[in-house]
Amino acid sequence: MLTLLDQLDKGTLWRSPGGIHPPEVKFLSNTTPIGQLPLASTYLVPVPQVGENCTLAVKVGDSVLKGTPLTQGTSIWHLPVHAPTSGTIVAIEPRASNHASALPVNTCVIAADGKDTWCELVQHQLDDLSHQQIVDKVRSAGIAGMGGAAFPTHIKLNPVSEIDLVIINGVECEPYISADDRLMREYSQDILAGIGIIHRLLTPKRIVIAIEDNKPEAAKAMQAAVSQCGLPAGSIRVTVIPTKYPSGGEKQLIQIITGREVPSGAIPAKLGIVVHNVGTAYAIHQAVTQGKPLVERVVTVTGRNVGKPGNYWLPIGTPVDHVLTATEFTPEPDQKVIIGGPMMGHALANIQVPILKGTNCILVPSSQEIGSTPEEKACIRCGECATACPALLLPQQLFWHAKAEEYDKAASYNLKDCIECGCCSYVCPSDIPLVEYYRIAKSALKQAADEKQQAERAKQRFDARLARLEEEKLAREAKAKEASERRQASMTGTDKNAVAEAMARIAAKKAAAQAVTGESITEESSVTTTGSTEVPKGKAAVAAAIARAKAKKAAQANADGTDTNGAETDNAVTMDANDSISATDTIAQEAPLSQKDKVAAAIARAKAKKAAQQTDTAPLESTETADNTPALSADDDKKAKVAAAVARAKAKKAAQQAETAASDIEVSNTEISVSDVNDAEAIKKAKVAAAVARAKAKKAAQQAETNAENGLNQTTTPAVDSAANVHADVNADAETAVNAAATDIEVSNADVSVNDAEAIKKAKVAAAVARAKAKKIAAASAESKTDAEIESVDEIQTEANVASPSIAAELETVTTEPEAVLPSVGSTAEPIETAPLSSDELKKARIAATIAKAKAKKAALAQEANASSDSSVTND
């Protein structure tokens, strides 16, 4: 069985699938030698042409020589571009690209000076250069594949795997194009010199120069050059293959020469095969031995509308319109200018575009040659496209998915293996431009892949940043730790003792605070919930604050001193109450408490306030006793005054007791506000209980007023005694009524837990109205008032009018029409349920209650003053 090398030596060929035989029409340009065209006045050099991530090495205004590098870059895929002639950089700006889209690209505009002066060229002997130096020279020369793909040549010359076969592609199967044909005829020795450099770098077992049988002159010239080259005998040969399009494709040529198929997504180097174009071999020789960068190439200018068709050496960056003008171009209406051949080329939208490294042909066909673009018709599923496809794809499936913009599905049918040869479009009876659909789909897939790659790079940069920040944090912590250790190591004995003493003081303060907290736990029974088994932190803090306040008050009392035991007792009681209030306020300011702790603090403040009021009431009782005991004269007027003073004292006492009951009701309402029940019946009970309390307070006040009037009608000593008895009865009745009301409210509060905020507001308003009513009645029970008293009350009324007319009206309703505010006991529930108060109305009611309280207090003070004056008159 023959090996592959044996079959190559015998000239064995294989058939490739698909393919077509379009008209060649090469005779228009292959009959004349390669020529030169006059220099253009301006050259357009796009940057970059191959690869990315390059930077400009020149700026506007710089003078350049032919072969001067214009760009520089570090990417392995980047190839530099060079000045095609000597001149001046006049602009660096976006210009139309040599592409079907004509999208603008950054371009160096060079104004030629007409001298075409080369820069300094460094020539080397091939034997003096190492492999890496040769590859570097090829790369710095900017050499790319000259067959049209423009793949970086230095990458192919430095493969990662061993290469067994090198194929030099001289097939040139595209119709009209004859640039490689003329190059092989005229520069065969230079091409063989370049092949020798490739042989040195890759050391393949065989080198095959493939030429189509429609180029006999080129095949003969290359065979003569092979016989004269210095390569080992039998290592290189010229193979002539049948003419068929697209046999010049890389994968198709490998299959024809070796019979092996390159897998999908793979490159020929994985099979140990490398393919180079004959024009690339020529450029390698020029760059390595003569030091010339790739600044010009052979381009076929052909078509019926060109006066001088042929092949020309054209500098890279030469404008297409200059080439057409120099070759006597005669355009027709709707003239097409095609870059490349008629099968794989693309029409230009703008002829003010440059020649590139991959440009091998400028085709200007007449209307008889190419005709107008036919109208696309519906696919008839004939299958001709699949038969003609040299890559064994399914063009029909690719077309459907590409047209529907289902690019992922098109990729699943190996869209990337399409070489865009145009065979499917050529044979399609429906005139569908299949290749155009495939190009659009490829562009979309490439854009999506680029975006995904950019996102991945951004993620990598973000992860790297996080890692860097973490490293910096750890480094700072380690540095701080080292600095701390150094400070500790450098501390003297005195410094260490100071630190130890400070720590000891902190521990002592903590222990003292814990001791104070432990001693005050027993004093928390007034704010501890029934059934609790442990003391919350908030209550412990309240108790500690109370203990501190008591200690402070005791110290102040010891410093001030007292006169009598009675005074000391009163001060102690007052101190306890004030201490409780101030301690509770202090705790509320020092630290935030829970809802339960807040309720406990409110109860403590209310109880302290009640104790203070009861302390204030004690002197009043002694005054009453003093008023009752003096001896009476026979004057009835004096007796009446005494009775009136007694009645006023009774009214004041009843008002104070009603205020105390209202305070208890307020505390109860505070407890109710934190409960969590929504029982409507319980809410109704609470409202009724509040109404009952108000009715009882009203009744007690009325009784006090009646007793006062009865006292005024008595003129004898027994009448005074009777007034004293009435005073006692009123006190008992008022106290009983208030206590009963408080008891009722407390019972209701124990049974009721309200979740309805509106009901709670109503209960609070009812309690406030009850207090205001009691105080108003107590104030009205006095028969006579002095002008000063009236003026005081009027001042309060005036202040209310100034503050808010609505509040004044509310107060007026309370003071003048008590029946409208406080209905009877039997009808108490209805007004409360049917007249809910808003937040503004509730605020008004509170202000009215405060003003009423001030009035009652003023009236009580006036009554006390009158009683004192009457008592002094009686004594006289």
Side-chain angles (χ1 to χ4, degrees), residues 637-677:
D637 186 46
K638 291 183 179 181
K639 293 180 181 180
K641 291 182 179 181
V642 171
V646 172
R648 286 194 297 272
K650 289 180 180 180
K652 181 177 180 182
K653 177 68 175 182
Q656 290 176 343
Q657 291 178 347
E659 183 177 358
T660 303
S663 299
D664 293 339
I665 291 171
E666 183 177 359
V667 173
S668 300
N669 289 336
T670 304
E671 296 174 349
I672 290 173
S673 65
V674 297
S675 302
D676 296 323
V677 180

Side-chain angles (χ1 to χ4, degrees), residues 65-263:
L65 298 176
K66 185 176 182 179
T68 302
L70 301 179
T71 63
Q72 57 187 6
T74 58
S75 173
I76 189 175
W77 296 96
H78 169 70
L79 288 180
V81 293
H82 302 78
T85 187
S86 58
T88 304
I89 306 293
V90 295
I92 300 176
E93 60 189 10
R95 293 292 184 95
S97 63
N98 187 343
H99 190 267
S101 65
L103 292 174
V105 294
N106 202 27
T107 304
C108 283
V109 182
I110 301 176
D113 57 8
K115 300 178 181 179
D116 200 30
T117 305
W118 274 96
C119 64
E120 183 179 358
L121 301 178
V122 180
Q123 300 182 2
H124 295 281
Q125 293 295 325
L126 184 61
D127 296 337
D128 297 337
L129 300 174
S130 64
H131 286 194
Q132 188 58 46
Q133 288 175 333
I134 294 174
V135 173
D136 291 341
K137 288 184 70 67
V138 171
R139 179 184 178 185
S140 61
I143 300 175
M146 307 290 284
F151 188 85
T153 301
H154 67 277
I155 296 178
K156 283 187 175 183
L157 294 178
N158 191 23
V160 296
S161 59
E162 184 178 354
I163 301 301
D164 297 328
L165 175 63
V166 173
I167 298 177
I168 304 300
N169 189 352
V171 176
E172 199 173 41
C173 59
E174 182 96 6
Y176 283 91
I177 303 176
S178 60
D180 291 345
D181 182 12
R182 293 306 310 185
L183 187 66
M184 287 187 289
R185 293 188 196 183
E186 301 179 29
Y187 297 94
S188 59
Q189 294 296 335
D190 293 330
I191 294 173
L192 260 296
I195 293 173
I197 296 173
I198 295 172
H199 182 272
R200 177 179 173 179
L201 294 175
L202 301 179
T203 62
K205 296 178 181 179
R206 294 290 186 276
I207 295 178
V208 176
I209 303 174
I211 304 174
E212 272 189 329
D213 56 10
N214 61 352
K215 305 177 182 62
E217 295 85 357
K220 186 182 295 184
M222 293 302 296
Q223 186 64 51
V226 167
S227 61
Q228 297 176 6
C229 71
L231 296 176
S235 62
I236 183 171
R237 59 168 293 136
V238 176
T239 299
V240 179
I241 64 173
T243 299
K244 184 174 70 169
Y245 180 82
S247 57
E250 185 178 60
K251 294 183 178 181
Q252 287 68 37
L253 184 58
I254 290 173
Q255 193 167 7
I256 293 172
I257 297 297
T258 65
R260 301 172 66 179
E261 182 179 356
V262 179

Side-chain angles (χ1 to χ4, degrees), residues 217-441:
E217 295 85 357
K220 186 182 295 184
M222 293 302 296
Q223 186 64 51
V226 167
S227 61
Q228 297 176 6
C229 71
L231 296 176
S235 62
I236 183 171
R237 59 168 293 136
V238 176
T239 299
V240 179
I241 64 173
T243 299
K244 184 174 70 169
Y245 180 82
S247 57
E250 185 178 60
K251 294 183 178 181
Q252 287 68 37
L253 184 58
I254 290 173
Q255 193 167 7
I256 293 172
I257 297 297
T258 65
R260 301 172 66 179
E261 182 179 356
V262 179
S264 175
I267 59 175
K270 290 188 176 181
L271 300 179
I273 302 173
V274 170
V275 179
H276 285 286
N277 185 265
V278 291
T280 305
Y282 175 83
I284 290 172
H285 166 68
Q286 293 285 311
V288 174
T289 60
Q290 300 182 18
K292 290 183 178 181
L294 180 60
V295 294
E296 59 183 359
R297 65 157 298 149
V298 179
V299 179
T300 299
V301 182
T302 185
R304 298 289 186 182
N305 290 341
V306 174
K308 296 180 179 179
N311 293 280
Y312 300 94
W313 286 104
L314 296 181
I316 306 299
T318 303
V320 173
D321 63 338
H322 169 75
V323 176
L324 296 178
T325 301
T327 55
E328 301 178 1
F329 166 55
T330 55
E332 295 180 355
D334 298 329
Q335 178 67 61
K336 286 186 177 182
V337 177
I338 300 173
I339 295 296
M343 301 299 296
M344 299 183 68
H346 59 271
L348 292 176
N350 184 356
I351 61 174
Q352 297 287 338
V353 296
I355 300 296
L356 303 179
K357 294 179 180 181
T359 304
N360 56 2
C361 179
I362 300 175
L363 175 60
V364 189
S366 63
S367 57
Q368 290 81 13
E369 290 179 280
I370 195 168
S372 60
T373 302
E375 182 181 358
E376 178 182 341
K377 296 177 283 294
C379 175
I380 61 174
R381 303 186 181 184
C382 62
E384 290 295 329
C385 55
T387 302
C389 181
L392 298 177
L393 301 178
L394 297 175
Q396 188 178 8
Q397 299 286 344
L398 296 175
F399 162 67
W400 289 340
H401 292 310
K403 188 173 184 179
E405 297 183 359
E406 298 173 348
Y407 302 129
D408 292 339
K409 293 183 178 179
S412 66
Y413 283 91
N414 297 326
L415 174 64
K416 61 184 178 181
D417 291 334
C418 175
I419 62 174
E420 302 178 15
C421 62
C423 292
C424 54
S425 300
Y426 185 81
V427 300
C428 180
S430 298
D431 297 321
I432 300 174
L434 297 172
V435 175
E436 300 301 325
Y437 284 104
Y438 304 156
R439 285 173 176 168
I440 293 173

Side-chain angles (χ1 to χ4, degrees), residues 570 572-578 581 603-622 652-667 738-739 771 775 853 857:
D570 294 340
V573 173
T574 304
M575 181 183 68
D576 291 341
N578 294 334
I581 295 171
I603 294 172
R605 288 196 298 271
K607 290 186 176 181
K609 183 177 179 182
K610 183 175 180 180
Q613 291 173 349
Q614 290 176 353
T615 303
D616 294 338
T617 307
L620 179 62
E621 295 177 353
S622 62
K652 181 177 180 182
K653 177 68 175 182
Q656 290 176 343
Q657 291 178 347
E659 183 177 358
T660 303
S663 299
D664 293 339
I665 291 171
E666 183 177 359
V667 173
V738 172
N739 292 337
R771 291 195 301 273
K775 293 177 182 178
K853 183 178 178 180
K857 189 172 182 180

